[in-house]
């Protein structure tokens, strides 16, 4: 999933139309810039790519005095379809870096409570499957002697992150699903 494209499309869907600066302000208003590490250049690069892909269109250019010309963009129907696909990936909850589900919720306008609940349950199921695989890896590694002495310690941290994410997902399902 391309995070910058997802954020640009989500912001444009929320603000209807706007410039790169307007998109950055929308991300800032949602506090997304605090935990996604999105850069200004990434937003403008994504706008260029999304325009080439016809997911967004330029609707006008505005010149205001000595300031540089400002391009106003709008998401297309195709862009909404692309966003929906990216949002469904984000709703799996594990990409990117555990905050996918949170991103998907922040930009949700069209997914129903039932869909959100289903996505949340699937994300929890995926976490549970990952935890089972981790346990199997540790058990087989210890048995075969291939696992390093401190691997279980570091994997316990992963387990704690997954458990915290499951707890948060359950709460999100109650609130939004």
């Amino acid at each position: 999933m391309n995070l910058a494209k997802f954020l640009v499309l989500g912001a444009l869907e929320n603000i209807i139309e706007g410039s790169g600066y307007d998109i950055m302000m929308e991300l800032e208003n949602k506090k997304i810039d605090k935990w996604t590490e999105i850069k200004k250049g990434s937003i403008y690069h994504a706008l260029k790519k999304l325009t080439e892909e016809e997911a967004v269109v330029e609707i006008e250019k505005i010149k205001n005095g000595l300031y540089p010309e400002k391009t106003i963009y709008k998401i297309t129907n195709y862009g909404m379809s692309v966003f929906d696909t990216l949002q469904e990936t984000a709703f799996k909850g594990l990409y990117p870096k555990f905050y996918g589900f949170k991103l998907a919720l922040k930009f949700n306008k069209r997914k129903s409570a039932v869909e959100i609940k289903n996505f949340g349950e699937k994300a929890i199921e995926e976490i549970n499957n990952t935890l089972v695989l981790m346990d199997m890896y540790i058990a087989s590694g210890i048995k075969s002697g291939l696992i390093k002495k401190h691997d279980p310690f570091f994997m316990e941290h992963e387990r704690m992150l997954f458990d915290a994410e499951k707890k948060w997902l359950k709460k999100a399902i109650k609130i939004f699903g």
Side-chain angles (χ1 to χ4, degrees):
M1 179 170 104
N2 185 307
L3 180 60
K5 285 183 179 181
F6 175 81
L7 294 174
V8 166
L9 290 170
L12 271 177
E13 185 168 346
N14 280 343
I15 63 176
I16 311 300
E17 59 186 49
S19 66
Y21 178 79
D22 297 326
I23 292 166
M24 287 188 297
M25 290 298 97
E26 175 69 6
L27 298 177
E28 188 176 303
N29 288 339
K30 290 185 173 292
K31 307 293 186 229
I32 289 169
D33 60 322
K34 303 293 184 224
W35 41 273
T36 61
E37 301 172 4
I38 189 73
K39 306 287 186 233
K40 182 165 63 169
S42 299
I43 291 169
Y44 286 101
H45 181 73
L47 277 169
K48 180 181 176 188
K49 291 294 185 190
L50 289 166
T51 302
E52 291 170 1
E53 296 167 10
E54 299 180 354
V56 300
V57 292
E58 295 179 7
I59 58 172
E60 74 178 298
K61 293 187 184 270
I62 299 171
K63 179 71 174 152
N64 187 2
L66 298 175
Y67 293 104
E69 187 173 66
K70 180 164 76 167
T71 304
I72 306 298
Y73 299 90
K74 184 174 184 170
I75 191 170
T76 64
N77 287 337
Y78 171 69
M80 286 185 193
S81 172
V82 170
F83 176 73
D84 287 344
T85 301
L86 294 171
Q87 185 181 35
E88 288 185 19
T89 299
F91 262 128
K92 290 180 181 174
L94 301 179
Y95 181 88
K97 298 180 186 174
F98 284 109
Y99 53 69
F101 198 91
K102 184 176 177 180
L103 279 175
L105 278 177
K106 284 259 186 182
F107 286 112
N108 186 54
K109 287 182 92 173
R110 293 181 276 121
K111 299 291 184 204
S112 71
V114 170
E115 289 173 299
I116 290 169
K117 180 178 183 278
N118 290 337
F119 283 124
E121 289 171 350
K122 286 178 187 174
I124 290 169
E125 183 180 322
E126 191 166 326
I127 288 170
N128 287 334
N129 291 339
T130 301
L131 291 171
V132 167
L133 290 174
M134 286 172 63
D135 290 341
M136 289 171 47
Y137 170 77
I138 290 172
S140 68
I142 290 171
K143 185 177 180 181
S144 67
L146 294 175
I147 198 164
K148 294 178 182 172
K149 179 180 175 184
H150 298 295
D151 282 351
F153 172 75
F154 290 109
M155 290 185 84
E156 184 59 27
H157 182 250
E158 297 290 319
R159 175 175 290 290
M160 290 166 46
L161 292 172
F162 281 118
D163 286 339
E165 183 68 6
K166 279 186 354 184
K167 183 178 177 181
W168 184 86
L169 284 165
K170 288 175 183 177
K171 189 172 184 178
I173 290 168
K174 281 183 184 177
I175 294 170
F176 295 97

